[in-house]
Amino acid sequence: QQQVKQSPQSLIVQKGGISIINCAYENTAFDYFPWYQQFPGKGPALLIAIRPDVSEKKEGRFTISFNKSAKQFSLHIMDSQPGDSATYFCAASGGATNKLIFGTGTLLAVQP
Amino acid sequence: DTGVSQNPRHKITKRGQNVTFRCDPISEHNRLYWYRQTLGQGPEFLTYFQNEAQLEKSRLLSDRFSAERPKGSFSTLEIQRTEQGDSAMYLCASSHSSGTQYFGPGTRLTVL
Protein backbone atom coordinates (compact mmCIF):
# COMPACT_ATOMS: atom_id res chain seq x y z
CA GLN A 1 0.00 0.00 0.00
CA GLN A 2 3.03 2.22 0.33
CA GLN A 3 4.13 1.80 -3.28
CA VAL A 4 4.09 4.41 -5.98
CA LYS A 5 4.19 2.87 -9.45
CA GLN A 6 5.75 4.90 -12.25
CA SER A 7 5.82 4.41 -16.01
CA PRO A 8 7.42 4.38 -18.48
CA GLN A 9 10.88 3.37 -17.31
CA SER A 10 12.44 5.35 -20.16
CA LEU A 11 11.20 7.81 -22.74
CA ILE A 12 12.63 9.30 -25.90
CA VAL A 13 11.03 12.49 -27.22
CA GLN A 14 11.93 14.82 -30.06
CA LYS A 15 12.74 18.44 -29.30
CA GLY A 16 9.53 20.41 -29.12
CA GLY A 17 7.42 17.36 -28.33
CA ILE A 18 5.36 16.51 -25.26
CA SER A 19 6.77 14.19 -22.59
CA ILE A 20 4.23 12.35 -20.44
CA ILE A 21 5.08 10.33 -17.33
CA ASN A 22 2.47 8.52 -15.27
CA CYS A 23 2.24 7.45 -11.65
CA ALA A 24 -0.28 5.52 -9.58
CA TYR A 25 -0.63 5.09 -5.84
CA GLU A 26 -2.67 2.97 -3.44
CA ASN A 27 -2.51 4.73 -0.09
CA THR A 28 -5.43 7.14 0.19
CA ALA A 29 -3.71 8.86 3.12
CA PHE A 30 -1.24 10.47 0.70
CA ASP A 31 -1.98 14.18 0.40
CA TYR A 32 1.06 15.63 -1.36
CA PHE A 33 2.38 14.59 -4.76
CA PRO A 34 5.66 16.15 -5.94
CA TRP A 35 7.73 15.53 -9.03
CA TYR A 36 11.51 15.67 -8.76
CA GLN A 37 14.11 16.03 -11.52
CA GLN A 38 17.50 14.47 -11.07
CA PHE A 39 20.65 14.88 -13.15
CA PRO A 40 23.52 12.36 -12.91
CA GLY A 41 25.57 12.82 -9.75
CA LYS A 42 23.13 15.36 -8.28
CA GLY A 43 20.41 15.25 -5.68
CA PRO A 44 16.74 15.37 -6.73
CA ALA A 45 15.35 18.87 -7.28
CA LEU A 46 11.68 19.72 -6.87
CA LEU A 47 10.01 20.48 -10.19
CA ILE A 48 6.34 20.89 -9.34
CA ALA A 49 3.92 19.52 -6.76
CA ILE A 50 0.17 19.16 -6.27
CA ARG A 51 -2.29 18.46 -3.47
CA PRO A 52 -5.46 16.42 -4.11
CA ASP A 53 -7.84 19.37 -3.80
CA VAL A 54 -7.02 20.41 -7.37
CA SER A 55 -7.03 18.38 -10.59
CA GLU A 56 -4.33 20.26 -12.45
CA LYS A 57 -1.39 22.55 -11.76
CA LYS A 58 0.72 24.30 -14.35
CA GLU A 59 4.10 25.99 -13.94
CA GLY A 60 5.66 27.12 -17.18
CA ARG A 61 6.13 24.12 -19.46
CA PHE A 62 5.35 21.63 -16.66
CA THR A 63 1.83 20.46 -15.79
CA ILE A 64 0.61 17.93 -13.24
CA SER A 65 -2.72 16.26 -13.89
CA PHE A 66 -4.29 14.58 -10.85
CA ASN A 67 -7.14 12.05 -10.83
CA LYS A 68 -8.13 11.40 -7.23
CA SER A 69 -10.75 8.74 -7.98
CA ALA A 70 -8.33 6.73 -10.11
CA LYS A 71 -5.43 7.42 -7.70
CA GLN A 72 -3.25 8.48 -10.60
CA PHE A 73 -1.23 11.54 -11.46
CA SER A 74 0.94 12.49 -14.39
CA LEU A 75 3.60 14.96 -15.45
CA HIS A 76 3.38 16.66 -18.84
CA ILE A 77 6.42 18.50 -20.20
CA MET A 78 5.42 20.73 -23.09
CA ASP A 79 7.89 21.85 -25.77
CA SER A 80 10.49 19.40 -24.44
CA GLN A 81 14.10 20.61 -24.72
CA PRO A 82 17.42 18.72 -24.71
CA GLY A 83 18.16 20.35 -21.34
CA ASP A 84 15.14 18.48 -19.92
CA SER A 85 17.01 15.20 -20.41
CA ALA A 86 17.20 13.78 -16.88
CA THR A 87 15.57 11.22 -14.60
CA TYR A 88 12.15 12.18 -13.27
CA PHE A 89 10.69 10.77 -10.08
CA CYS A 90 7.14 11.04 -8.87
CA ALA A 91 6.60 10.81 -5.14
CA ALA A 92 3.84 10.85 -2.57
CA SER A 93 3.65 11.66 1.09
CA GLY A 94 1.18 12.01 3.90
CA GLY A 95 0.88 11.68 7.65
CA ALA A 96 2.88 13.18 10.47
CA THR A 97 6.38 12.57 9.13
CA ASN A 98 5.73 13.56 5.53
CA LYS A 99 8.33 11.04 4.36
CA LEU A 100 8.42 10.76 0.59
CA ILE A 101 7.63 7.48 -1.17
CA PHE A 102 9.26 7.61 -4.58
CA GLY A 103 8.44 5.92 -7.85
CA THR A 104 11.17 4.01 -9.68
CA GLY A 105 12.00 6.86 -12.04
CA THR A 106 11.74 7.67 -15.74
CA LEU A 107 14.85 8.37 -17.78
CA LEU A 108 13.92 11.04 -20.31
CA ALA A 109 16.02 11.71 -23.38
CA VAL A 110 15.05 14.67 -25.56
CA GLN A 111 16.64 14.41 -28.98
CA PRO A 112 17.63 17.63 -30.78
CA ASP B 1 19.81 30.11 2.04
CA THR B 2 22.77 28.24 0.69
CA GLY B 3 20.88 24.97 0.28
CA VAL B 4 21.43 21.58 1.86
CA SER B 5 25.07 20.54 1.94
CA GLN B 6 26.51 17.08 2.44
CA ASN B 7 30.03 15.92 3.15
CA PRO B 8 31.93 14.10 1.91
CA ARG B 9 30.59 13.93 -1.64
CA HIS B 10 32.32 10.63 -2.26
CA LYS B 11 33.57 7.96 0.13
CA ILE B 12 35.40 4.77 -0.77
CA THR B 13 35.95 2.34 2.06
CA LYS B 14 36.83 -1.27 2.64
CA ARG B 15 34.31 -3.77 3.89
CA GLY B 16 34.17 -3.81 7.67
CA GLN B 17 35.19 -0.18 8.15
CA ASN B 18 33.01 2.47 9.78
CA VAL B 19 31.96 5.58 7.87
CA THR B 20 30.22 8.79 8.90
CA PHE B 21 28.42 11.28 6.69
CA ARG B 22 27.36 14.81 7.56
CA CYS B 23 24.36 16.82 6.43
CA ASP B 24 23.90 20.56 6.98
CA PRO B 25 20.26 21.47 6.32
CA ILE B 26 18.87 24.79 5.22
CA SER B 27 18.99 27.05 8.26
CA GLU B 28 15.80 27.14 10.31
CA HIS B 29 14.45 23.97 8.69
CA ASN B 30 13.20 21.93 11.60
CA ARG B 31 12.75 18.67 9.68
CA LEU B 32 15.58 16.55 8.36
CA TYR B 33 15.36 13.31 6.38
CA TRP B 34 17.88 10.70 5.25
CA TYR B 35 17.23 8.63 2.13
CA ARG B 36 19.26 5.99 0.30
CA GLN B 37 19.32 5.67 -3.47
CA THR B 38 20.75 2.73 -5.38
CA LEU B 39 21.50 2.79 -9.09
CA GLY B 40 18.39 2.98 -11.22
CA GLN B 41 16.04 3.29 -8.27
CA GLY B 42 14.20 6.08 -6.52
CA PRO B 43 15.34 7.28 -3.12
CA GLU B 44 14.16 5.18 -0.16
CA PHE B 45 13.38 6.70 3.22
CA LEU B 46 15.76 5.84 6.05
CA THR B 47 15.01 8.12 8.96
CA TYR B 48 13.42 11.42 10.02
CA PHE B 49 14.22 14.07 12.61
CA GLN B 50 12.05 16.86 13.88
CA ASN B 51 14.47 19.25 15.54
CA GLU B 52 16.79 16.97 17.56
CA ALA B 53 14.28 14.13 17.99
CA GLN B 54 14.54 11.07 15.74
CA LEU B 55 10.87 10.27 15.23
CA GLU B 56 10.89 7.51 12.63
CA LYS B 57 13.30 4.88 11.36
CA SER B 58 12.77 2.63 8.36
CA ARG B 59 13.18 -1.13 8.59
CA LEU B 60 15.96 -0.55 6.03
CA LEU B 61 17.99 1.00 8.84
CA SER B 62 19.72 -2.00 10.38
CA ASP B 63 21.47 -1.96 13.75
CA ARG B 64 24.68 -1.00 11.96
CA PHE B 65 23.20 2.36 11.05
CA SER B 66 22.84 5.22 13.48
CA ALA B 67 21.83 8.82 12.93
CA GLU B 68 21.98 11.85 15.16
CA ARG B 69 20.97 15.46 15.01
CA PRO B 70 22.44 17.17 18.06
CA LYS B 71 20.94 20.55 18.87
CA GLY B 72 18.57 20.21 15.93
CA SER B 73 21.04 21.57 13.41
CA PHE B 74 23.38 19.36 11.35
CA SER B 75 22.94 15.60 11.25
CA THR B 76 25.31 12.66 10.97
CA LEU B 77 24.68 9.19 9.61
CA GLU B 78 27.11 6.49 10.68
CA ILE B 79 27.41 3.04 9.20
CA GLN B 80 29.38 0.51 11.22
CA ARG B 81 31.05 -2.59 9.77
CA THR B 82 30.19 -1.60 6.21
CA GLU B 83 29.09 -4.27 3.74
CA GLN B 84 29.15 -4.20 -0.06
CA GLY B 85 25.38 -3.93 -0.03
CA ASP B 86 25.70 -0.55 1.68
CA SER B 87 27.11 0.94 -1.54
CA ALA B 88 24.64 3.62 -2.56
CA MET B 89 24.01 7.36 -2.70
CA TYR B 90 22.99 8.69 0.70
CA LEU B 91 20.75 11.74 0.38
CA CYS B 92 19.75 14.26 3.00
CA ALA B 93 16.72 16.52 2.71
CA SER B 94 15.33 19.25 4.91
CA SER B 95 12.04 21.09 5.16
CA HIS B 96 10.25 23.66 7.22
CA SER B 97 7.36 21.93 9.00
CA SER B 98 5.44 19.90 6.39
CA GLY B 99 6.66 21.92 3.45
CA THR B 100 8.77 21.05 0.45
CA GLN B 101 11.75 18.78 1.02
CA TYR B 102 14.97 20.17 -0.43
CA PHE B 103 17.66 17.63 -1.17
CA GLY B 104 21.41 17.90 -0.87
CA PRO B 105 23.83 16.63 -3.52
CA GLY B 106 24.29 13.31 -1.72
CA THR B 107 27.24 11.26 -0.55
CA ARG B 108 28.24 8.44 -2.87
CA LEU B 109 29.49 5.47 -0.83
CA THR B 110 31.46 2.67 -2.43
CA VAL B 111 32.33 -0.34 -0.27
CA LEU B 112 35.10 -2.50 -1.71
Side-chain angles (χ1 to χ4, degrees):
Chain A
Q1 200 181 24
Q2 286 286 344
Q3 276 188 315
V4 175
K5 296 181 180 179
Q6 182 172 347
S7 63
Q9 192 173 7
S10 63
L11 183 61
I12 299 174
V13 173
Q14 296 297 315
K15 179 182 175 182
I18 303 173
S19 304
I20 302 174
I21 305 170
N22 301 297
C23 282
Y25 64 97
E26 289 294 326
N27 189 344
T28 55
F30 289 148
D31 62 2
Y32 178 68
F33 302 88
W35 285 89
Y36 281 83
Q37 179 189 58
Q38 186 175 32
F39 293 102
K42 306 290 186 183
L46 180 71
L47 202 57
I48 187 172
I50 197 168
R51 293 196 181 270
D53 52 342
V54 297
S55 60
E56 185 174 283
K57 183 174 181 180
K58 183 176 181 180
E59 289 183 359
R61 296 184 295 110
F62 303 94
T63 300
I64 298 179
S65 296
F66 187 83
N67 186 330
K68 188 174 180 178
S69 60
K71 291 185 285 187
Q72 295 175 346
F73 58 110
S74 60
L75 175 69
H76 292 63
I77 306 175
M78 311 299 287
D79 187 25
S80 299
Q81 299 297 312
D84 296 332
S85 297
T87 300
Y88 292 81
F89 292 97
C90 63
S93 70
T97 66
N98 236 35
K99 65 185 177 188
L100 291 168
I101 308 300
F102 282 85
T104 50
T106 297
L107 180 60
L108 172 66
V110 181
Q111 294 185 335
Chain B
D1 290 331
T2 57
V4 178
S5 61
Q6 292 187 245
N7 288 288
R9 294 293 311 279
H10 303 276
K11 179 69 177 179
I12 300 174
T13 191
K14 293 182 179 179
R15 189 176 53 187
Q17 297 295 305
N18 299 343
V19 294
T20 300
F21 311 140
R22 176 178 171 126
C23 170
D24 286 272
I26 294 171
S27 58
E28 298 181 359
H29 275 190
N30 60 337
R31 295 189 175 202
L32 188 146
Y33 303 81
W34 284 98
Y35 294 84
R36 181 171 66 188
Q37 186 177 26
T38 54
L39 203 62
Q41 298 297 315
E44 293 177 295
F45 170 78
L46 291 179
T47 191
Y48 157 68
F49 289 86
Q50 183 163 324
N51 300 310
E52 68 276 9
Q54 187 175 19
L55 297 183
E56 185 170 343
K57 292 195 294 186
S58 164
R59 285 173 294 176
L60 293 175
L61 216 62
S62 76
D63 291 343
R64 297 183 297 105
F65 288 70
S66 62
E68 294 182 341
R69 192 183 182 198
K71 303 178 183 178
S73 55
F74 71 92
S75 176
T76 58
L77 178 67
E78 180 183 16
I79 309 175
Q80 296 183 326
R81 304 181 303 282
T82 53
E83 302 173 356
Q84 287 187 326
D86 297 331
S87 296
M89 174 80 87
Y90 290 84
L91 293 162
C92 175
S94 71
S95 72
H96 179 68
S97 297
S98 59
T100 299
Q101 289 184 35
Y102 295 91
F103 282 81
T107 294
R108 169 74 63 191
L109 173 66
T110 302
V111 182
L112 302 176

